[in-house]
Amino acid sequence: ASPAVSEPCVLLIGEGQLADATTRALEAGGTTVVGLHEPNDQEIREALDERIDRVVVISRSDHIALRRALVVAHVDLDVEIA
């Protein structure tokens, strides 16, 4: 028997049509999506656990996207950020 392969898990930070479309596309491809709409730093920290493989940050504002990406990187330098 082959070992069980867990499906990838993405933390998606953001809201709106692009975030919704991204969630649908990821889920259609077999990825589990954990969504945070407008998280504070603590909520981001709490969501970053061992099951998260990647983080996607979606925002209309560059400074908000950058800030959230920096919080993610501060908590887990090894997680992939898109």
Side-chain angles (χ1 to χ4, degrees):
S2 62
V5 176
S6 63
E7 60 186 33
C9 187
V10 170
L11 173 61
L12 191 142
I13 302 173
E15 63 181 346
Q17 291 180 339
L18 181 56
D20 293 343
T22 302
T23 297
R24 286 192 301 274
L26 288 167
E27 289 175 342
T31 299
T32 298
V33 178
V34 175
L36 295 177
H37 294 285
E38 290 187 32
N40 60 37
D41 293 2
Q42 183 62 35
E43 291 167 327
I44 293 171
R45 281 195 227 48
E46 290 171 359
L48 284 169
D49 57 32
E50 65 279 349
R51 67 193 166 128
I52 301 296
D53 301 303
R54 290 178 190 87
V55 177
V56 175
V57 179
I58 297 175
S59 176
R60 292 181 180 269
S61 172
D62 289 343
H63 76 275
I64 290 174
L66 176 60
R67 185 177 188 300
R68 290 176 176 164
L70 289 171
V71 170
V72 169
H74 180 72
V75 174
D76 186 347
L77 285 174
D78 296 326
V79 73
E80 192 175 314
I81 304 171

